[in-house]
Each structure stands twice: as structure tokens, then as C-alpha cells.
Amino acid sequence: MAVHNADIARVFEEIADLLEIQEANPFRVRAYRNAARTVGDLRIDLAQTLAEGKPLPKLPGIGADLASKIREIAETGTTALVERLHKELPPAITALLRIPGLGPKRVRALHRELDIRTIEQLAQAAREGRISKLAGFGAKTESGILEAAEAHLTKKQRFKLAVAAQYAEALAAYLAATKGAGEVVVCGSFRRMKETVGDLDVLVTSAAPAAVMRRFAKYPEVKEMLASGETRASALLAGGLQVDVRVVPKESFGSALHYFTGSKAHNIAIRRLGQAQGLKINEYGVFKAGKGGAERRVAGDTEASVFKAVGLPFIAPELREDSGEIEAARRGELPQLIELSDLRGDLHAHTKATDGKNALKEMALAAKAAGLAYLAITEHSRRLTVAHGLDPRRLARQIDEIERLNGELAGITLLKGIEVDILEDGTLDLPDAILAKLDLVVGAVHSKFNLPRAQQTERILAAMDSTFFSILAHPSGRLIGAREAYDVDMLKIVRKAKARGIALELNAHPERLDLTDVNCRMAKEEGALVAISSDAHSVHDFDNLRFGIGQARRGWLEKADVLNARPLAELRSLLARRTGAKAGSASRPPRGAAKAPVRRADRAR
Ligand code: DGT
Ligand code: CA
Ligand code: CA
């Protein structure tokens, strides 16, 4: 059975959880958690790489020990370490950590005192009032646990798009090899590039559906068949993801593709539009009632024919949420959506000087290979000690190094940048004197996520007043499925960005995808530019840009809305206009001491 990167990540995550419950060394716990994140979304398939006899790629945070565990999991699906931990603690117990209010200590106490191993048992014990009798748990804690456990039990798990892609691509390739199969397309939220996916909806065209059904049932990753019929089947994969497969004849391909791509709300709106014109629309085609009640099929072989039948131009899957796309299509005002090939450069990347894995030159060459003309190096600043952030002295050294490399490199330009921490009071973690030497300054919140809304907003607005501020990194701070966005007034931030000529980042890392689609649209409406950035920590991460593009398209963004769709010269002049410096001027005068008054004056506006 194929082991995907997401499966390796799941084992690492489980090890981290189990070690945490055992109160192991926190550094060891974090090493496994970081490794899970690095491997989980990675585009190159590690098990396949090893199966081909190639060495593992260099990855941030993965040393010899973790690499040997990756090899073990790739071959066997598990490791001796996790098996040993399972003997000490029941595997299901890690799910308890996902319940808000339950840390490792409490999970251990619940297991030791009440033999609780699952969320069902947890809810049951809370209902029976057994938890509040334990030392360290009160009645209030118990009712909170019950509420959280019940919410968790009714919530369906969703998968990050990049993880779903690993399963989807492998399954689609497998089904495409069925004798007689024509088109194989993964539809649903996956095709709409939604940031998370509930299940996969695979459409296959074939005149022999039974052969497709038989082959699907034999897919090695199928753990359980949930339903199966002549033209449709549902199964649960070993990784936990559900798959619905549907077979239709070739002539229904377009209407089936449209139907299974959704969204449901979009489909309903299109069907209504059809009804008003005397058309019946379903997954088999578009039909018109003829004489004597007979139906005539008028469209459905291609998706475009379905839209045409209701008088609309083709609407891209990413827009199909019934959030104005049908009206825009009718008015002929659909956006010309940004494409991956429109990106000229990348404005957020790290090297091994901080928490990245590769050297400057390796990153530059990888960016060039990815078709980019420029790459901004934006290391963390000193405050972020876990990432070995740069102080002014180390940053100055990197600036020299970049200037030297630019003299040597052809076809790619490195830009001098920083991902500087926005401190709690809205000041930046490095002085203006050094920021002035950079081509761009990416500001980011990495601490104090829980400030009250007004204070958090004020903090970010104040930082954006800083003279050299160019791009606001991952503006909401959310980590998909792991950390909520911090509470801020995004509209105020977007308007400030517009007023100051600052761009908002759409961080393309699969666990961030931040700006969200809704906020991308807000930025566009307010006229603020968006920078679609990889946040690469290794040479493999430029692949993530395609997920950023998917999110940008969901946010209706066009080439003109995207800062790094501009050629280098234009980018430079946009960056320079903000600070009033001339494009291309290598050294602007440092203004260290002038910083505070400038900020106060700006804030008074
Ligand atoms: P998900 O799986 O929760 O991420 O979201 P979707 O959009 O993939 O939803 P899913 O898997 O339930 O259904 C796949 C597509 O099938 C959906 O996007 C539209 C279509 N569909 C499902 N149920 C209905 C329905 O009741 N009416 C219509 N018109 N279409 C439906
Ligand atoms: Ca789905
Ligand atoms: Ca489905």
C-alpha cells in the first residue's frame, strides 16, 4: 500500500502527542511536530522517492534520526517508536488532546483515574459527573469538557487541500488505468480549490461502469466500502478520507462535471436559471421539454455547453460559490483570474541562516527553476529566537552576501528583505537604520495572538505606519485546523494598506492560505495589492504557490491585483514609491532616530 507524506506526518504527529502525554522533553515533542508539518504538505512524494532508490531531500528540521524514521514509515507504514508508545498508552488517547481545555496532564489523569481512552468515553464520564470528582477538575470544567466533546463528535473532519491532493492524485491515476475509462476528474470542493476538503468526489466516464467499480473496490488504500452500486460507490481510505466515485457515459461528461463540482448553492442557482428558460438541468445533461412531454437533450457534453444553455459564459470552478459569480457572468463582468504563470517572483522565503534548510544560492536557483525572475529573502528577526532570527549585524552580513550573489547569478534576482516581528506595542523588531538598507520589509505577528480586538488592530496599524513597511505577512495569523485567526478589524487593516501603498500577503503555505478568500476579495474591492508568497523554507516549497493561486482565484483576484505579478522594474518602483525613495537607489539614508515622531504624526491622521 502506498504511504503518502500525509501518512508519515500523521505518525509523527501521533508520536508528538504520545510523548507530550508522557511529559517527554518539550524539544523532542516539538521536533516531531515540526517534522509532521514539514513532511505533511510536501509536494515531492517521499515514499516514492525512496522506492526509486533516491536519497531523501534536505528538509528543514529533519536530521539523521527523523530521516531514518521516514524510511521506516515509508516501508512499513509505522515505526518501532510509535508501536512502543502504543504499548504504554492506547493510540486513541491522542484524540483527547484535541478537546479544548485538555492538556497532556489532564489527559493523563483522565486515563489513569477513569480509564478514559476515547472522546466517546470522555463525554460519557462527563455526563455521569465522574470527572468533576477528580482532583483538579471542577463542575465548570466538566461541563466545558462535555460541550467540547459533543461538538467534536458531531463535527466531520476536513482535510487540508494539499493533503487531499496527495490522496486525490494517486487515486485518479489508479482509476485512469481502468480498461475503458475515459476522463477521470476529482470534482467537488477539491476542484474549487477550497482550503479544506470534506471528501473527494471522483467523476469517471466509461461505457463499462462495472469495470470501474471493480477496480475501485480493489484500491489498496480502501479501508472500508461504505456503499456500492452499479455506477456509484463510496469508500473510506486508510488515511481517513472518504471518496465518492461516480461513473457516467461520455456524452454526460460536461453536465456531470458541472454537477459534481458544485458548490451545491451554485448548482441550485444555475438550475433555477434553467427552469426560468424551460430547461431541466441534472448530472446527465440539459433537457428541453418537447411535444407531448418528450424531452430533448440540448447540452451536457462539455461544461461550457451547460453554461451556454443558460446564456452564460464559462465560470471558473473557484468562483462557483453562488457569491455573485452568476450575476457577474450575466453582466459580462467575470474577473480574468490570475494564473500561476502570471507570477514573476516570490516575496517571502527563508534560508538556513534562520529556520530554512537551503543556502541562498540554492534557493535562488530553485526559484529560477520554478520560472520566477526574482526572489525576496525574508528571514525572521531576532525576537523569534526559536527560528534563530537575525539581528542587525547578521542581517547586514546577509545583505552583503546577496549583493555579491546577484553579481554572479543570471536569470534570477535576489531581493534583500526581512520578515520582521511586529512587537506588542506595534514597533518593529529591528531599527530603521538596517531596514532602510533593504528592498522590502515584510512585517509579521508571531506573538501575543490573544490581544483584544481593538488593541490587536491598533498594534498592526501602528506597525504599518513604519516608514519601511512593505508587506503584511499572513494577515489573520490562522493555521488551518490548528489555530484560529486572531481578532482584528481586517477592513481597517486593508484600508490602511491601500492608503500606505502596503501589500497584503496571501501566504501560500498549505496550512496558512492567509489572506482567506473572503479577505482577498475585500482587498481587491478596497484597491489594496496582494502578494502571493510561498514562505519557502526549502527548495521544494515553491510548489506551494499553486495553492496560493487557487486561494487568490477563489478571492476573485486578477493579475493586476497581485504585486508579484509585476515585472521586477515595476515592483521596485512600487516598493520605492512608498518610502519616497527613488527606484533602484541602493542605499537610502538611514533614519533610525526619526522613527518615533513619524509614527505619531501618521497615527494622528
Ligand atoms: P466538501 O466535500 O464538504 O468539501 O464539499 P463539496 O462541495 O465537495 O460537497 P459534496 O462532496 O457534498 O458534494 C459534491 C458536489 O455534488 C457538490 O459540490 C455539489 C453536488 N451536490 C451534492 N449534493 C447536492 C444537492 O443536493 N443538490 C445539488 N444541486 N448538487 C449537489
Ligand atoms: Ca466533496
Ligand atoms: Ca461527496
Side-chain angles (χ1 to χ4, degrees):
M1 187 184 114
V3 172
H4 302 283
N5 293 342
D7 303 316
I8 299 171
R10 206 170 27 253
V11 176
F12 283 167
E13 196 67 54
E14 196 180 355
I15 292 174
D17 285 344
L18 291 167
L19 287 174
E20 194 169 11
I21 296 170
Q22 292 193 341
E23 284 189 295
N25 180 335
F27 288 102
R28 193 163 168 230
V29 173
R30 181 153 47 198
Y32 279 103
R33 267 204 219 295
N34 288 344
R37 283 165 63 181
T38 301
V39 170
D41 306 317
L42 190 70
R43 294 286 304 151
I44 29 169
D45 190 315
L46 295 177
Q48 199 182 321
T49 303
L50 291 168
E52 288 165 3
K54 293 185 208 144
L56 283 176
K58 283 197 235 172
L59 296 168
I62 311 268
D65 176 54
L66 284 165
S68 80
K69 293 216 168 48
I70 290 176
R71 269 181 236 114
E72 201 184 344
I73 302 167
E75 273 172 32
T76 66
T78 184
T79 89
L81 173 59
V82 83
E83 297 302 316
R84 198 193 78 217
L85 290 168
H86 283 169
K87 294 212 179 87
E88 296 159 15
L89 285 167
I93 201 168
T94 57
L96 298 180
L97 286 175
R98 309 276 110 79
I99 301 295
L102 289 190
K105 265 206 181 66
R106 285 185 157 169
V107 168
R108 225 159 12 130
L110 291 165
H111 178 236
R112 198 178 50 226
E113 306 295 330
L114 301 175
D115 195 29
I116 290 172
R117 281 159 287 141
T118 65
I119 296 180
E120 285 86 354
Q121 292 170 339
L122 178 73
Q124 188 60 24
R127 257 180 243 120
E128 291 167 2
R130 286 187 282 137
I131 291 175
S132 55
K133 296 201 179 75
L134 295 183
F137 295 81
K140 203 158 157 222
T141 308
E142 185 176 59
S143 68
I145 288 175
L146 179 58
E147 199 178 309
E150 283 177 338
H152 196 93
L153 286 171
T154 51
K155 205 170 82 192
K156 202 179 153 204
Q157 191 198 356
R158 297 186 66 85
F159 288 73
K160 281 181 286 179
L161 182 60
V163 167
Q166 296 169 22
Y167 295 107
E169 283 157 14
L171 174 62
Y174 171 88
L175 288 176
T178 314
K179 200 162 171 281
E183 304 277 354
V184 178
V185 184
V186 184
C187 303
S189 51
F190 181 78
R191 184 165 177 244
R192 302 198 311 280
M193 298 292 281
K194 223 173 141 174
E195 61 199 29
T196 62
V197 166
D199 68 6
L200 295 176
D201 305 282
V202 189
L203 175 66
V204 182
T205 62
S206 173
V212 180
M213 291 292 110
R214 268 199 310 274
R215 188 163 162 85
F216 177 45
K218 280 192 286 193
Y219 189 49
E221 286 178 45
V222 166
K223 189 168 87 181
E224 187 190 347
M225 279 317 270
L226 302 171
S228 72
E230 278 169 29
T231 60
R232 63 179 85 192
S234 292
L236 197 61
L237 300 184
L241 186 58
Q242 187 183 316
V243 183
D244 297 337
V245 174
R246 186 72 187 269
V247 187
V248 300
K250 188 163 148 266
E251 59 273 20
S252 295
F253 177 58
S255 37
L257 187 57
H258 180 259
Y259 181 91
F260 292 113
T261 297
S263 67
K264 193 171 162 182
H266 167 90
N267 287 358
I268 290 170
I270 291 285
R271 221 167 33 222
R272 236 181 244 139
L273 208 58
Q275 270 160 11
Q277 300 166 36
L279 298 171
K280 191 177 106 189
I281 302 176
N282 59 29
E283 58 266 54
Y284 299 104
V286 181
F287 303 89
K288 200 175 186 97
K291 291 180 204 88
E295 276 181 348
R296 191 163 50 90
R297 196 165 172 283
V298 294
D301 52 338
T302 67
E303 235 180 359
S305 77
V306 176
F307 286 113
K308 189 156 177 265
V310 293
L312 296 179
F314 181 81
I315 300 175
E318 294 92 336
L319 296 180
R320 300 184 199 166
E321 299 292 345
D322 191 25
S323 58
E325 76 278 11
I326 293 173
E327 293 76 4
R330 203 186 284 150
R331 289 194 306 266
E333 288 169 7
L334 281 174
Q336 187 85 43
L337 296 178
I338 177 111
E339 290 176 17
L340 186 57
S341 59
D342 289 330
L343 294 186
R344 294 281 167 272
D346 187 347
L347 299 175
H348 188 157
H350 301 265
T351 76
K352 64 183 182 189
T354 57
D355 60 347
K357 189 68 180 184
N358 294 96
L360 272 175
K361 190 171 176 183
E362 293 169 322
M363 292 300 282
L365 295 177
K368 183 181 167 186
L372 303 175
Y374 53 85
L375 172 68
I377 300 300
T378 56
E379 307 282 16
H380 290 294
S381 61
R382 57 191 170 189
R383 175 61 64 102
L384 215 58
T385 48
V386 289
H388 200 42
L390 300 186
D391 59 17
R393 196 178 45 85
R394 288 173 62 214
L395 178 54
R397 258 210 322 261
Q398 189 179 65
I399 289 172
D400 290 344
E401 173 76 10
I402 288 176
E403 284 173 353
R404 193 187 61 73
L405 262 176
N406 273 339
E408 165 189 324
L409 290 165
I412 181 87
T413 301
L414 289 175
L415 298 176
K416 295 160 280 181
I418 187 82
E419 180 181 7
V420 65
D421 260 48
I422 296 173
L423 304 180
E424 188 180 356
D425 63 356
T427 57
L428 302 180
D429 185 29
L430 290 170
D432 276 6
I434 188 81
L435 298 183
K437 297 200 168 79
L438 299 169
D439 296 308
L440 80 168
V441 171
V442 178
V445 168
H446 290 126
S447 61
K448 301 277 177 189
F449 300 118
N450 294 327
L451 295 182
R453 182 181 178 88
Q455 202 181 331
Q456 193 71 283
T457 305
E458 193 50 40
R459 168 196 192 182
I460 295 171
L461 294 178
M464 292 168 86
D465 273 327
S466 157
T467 314
F468 300 103
F469 201 104
S470 327
I471 298 174
L472 178 62
H474 39 74
S476 88
R478 64 98 179 254
L479 296 177
I480 296 172
R483 188 172 75 210
E484 292 293 314
Y486 37 72
D487 193 10
V488 284
D489 187 336
M490 196 56 83
L491 183 58
K492 271 195 185 154
I493 289 171
V494 167
R495 288 189 170 151
K496 181 78 173 191
K498 162 70 181 162
R500 291 269 297 122
I502 287 169
L504 298 160
E505 181 179 89
L506 194 183
N507 190 298
H509 193 285
E511 74 172 3
R512 288 196 182 270
L513 291 174
D514 177 13
L515 293 177
T516 60
D517 47 4
V518 172
N519 287 338
C520 280
R521 229 172 139 176
M522 186 200 281
K524 182 193 173 93
E525 272 155 25
E526 295 292 327
L529 286 176
V530 173
I532 303 176
S533 303
S534 70
D535 199 353
H537 282 70
S538 83
V539 293
H540 313 290
D541 293 343
F542 299 108
D543 290 342
N544 288 339
L545 287 170
R546 73 173 189 138
F547 298 111
I549 289 287
Q551 178 93 328
R553 289 167 63 89
R554 288 180 59 80
W556 293 52
L557 297 189
E558 305 180 87
K559 194 174 164 182
D561 304 315
V562 176
L563 179 61
N564 51 322
R566 309 286 164 97
L568 181 57
E570 214 177 304
L571 171 83
R572 280 198 197 277
S573 81
L574 276 170
L575 290 172
R577 199 176 306 155
R578 197 191 59 264
T579 53
K582 281 215 180 61
S585 69
S587 56
R588 291 180 218 117
R591 320 188 184 180
K595 173 176 154 190
V598 168
R599 232 188 42 237
R600 227 170 284 134
D602 268 8
R603 215 188 290 176
R605 276 206 302 263

